[in-house]
Amino acid sequence: QVHLGESGGDSVVPGGSLRLSCSASGGSESYNCMAWFRQAPGKEREGVAAIGTGGGSAYYRDSVKGRFTISQDNAKNAWYLQMNNLKPEDSAMYYCAVGLLSPAPHCAIRGGIPSLFYLWGQGTQVTVSS
């Protein structure tokens, strides 16, 4: 089975930046959409960003648009989340996930829906506090 591993979480002050990484290894499961989700204590898991394996348009939740950027490196089976101008409300456990969406372009439309993703990483903690 494909294994997902996240890294890059840390504690930063408001306005700081972090880059999260996720790598996929092993297994042969197919996926065409790679995403980042987050979950804060007492809150539901929410989609942050998603991108198709073919690149192109990406999904972003409104609160991170202009601050976060998702990117991919298919040669490394990896994707990243560059987070700039972090705010305290961005504090959460961040999870990467993969899914097989049909049609593929729906990754940019529905990439924030947790139930569409079938494999998840263990999470990496992001804390934004002064």
Side-chain angles (χ1 to χ4, degrees):
Q1 186 178 15
V2 174
H3 171 74
L4 303 182
E6 304 102 331
S7 63
D10 205 344
S11 294
V12 296
V13 298
S17 297
L18 285 174
R19 186 183 190 231
L20 305 183
S21 300
C22 183
S23 62
S25 61
S28 60
E29 292 88 342
S30 296
Y31 56 88
N32 62 7
C33 187
M34 305 169 290
W36 289 97
F37 291 82
R38 67 187 182 189
Q39 188 168 19
K43 295 187 176 181
E44 293 187 355
R45 189 168 297 190
E46 59 185 26
V48 177
I51 191 168
T53 52
S57 298
Y59 161 84
Y60 293 99
R61 72 178 299 103
D62 287 345
S63 62
V64 307
K65 287 180 180 177
R67 300 188 298 122
F68 291 11
T69 303
I70 189 170
S71 61
Q72 61 186 123
D73 186 339
N74 288 335
K76 296 181 178 180
N77 291 325
W79 57 107
Y80 312 94
L81 186 67
Q82 178 66 44
M83 305 186 294
N84 298 327
N85 190 21
L86 283 159
K87 303 176 180 181
E89 52 264 40
D90 294 317
S91 297
M93 186 70 79
Y94 282 70
Y95 300 89
C96 62
V98 296
L100 188 61
L101 276 63
S102 181
H106 274 212
C107 182
I109 301 170
R110 306 169 67 196
I113 303 174
S115 61
L116 298 181
F117 293 80
Y118 71 86
L119 189 64
W120 296 79
Q122 293 298 309
T124 185
Q125 180 68 40
V126 172
T127 303
V128 186
S129 174
S130 56

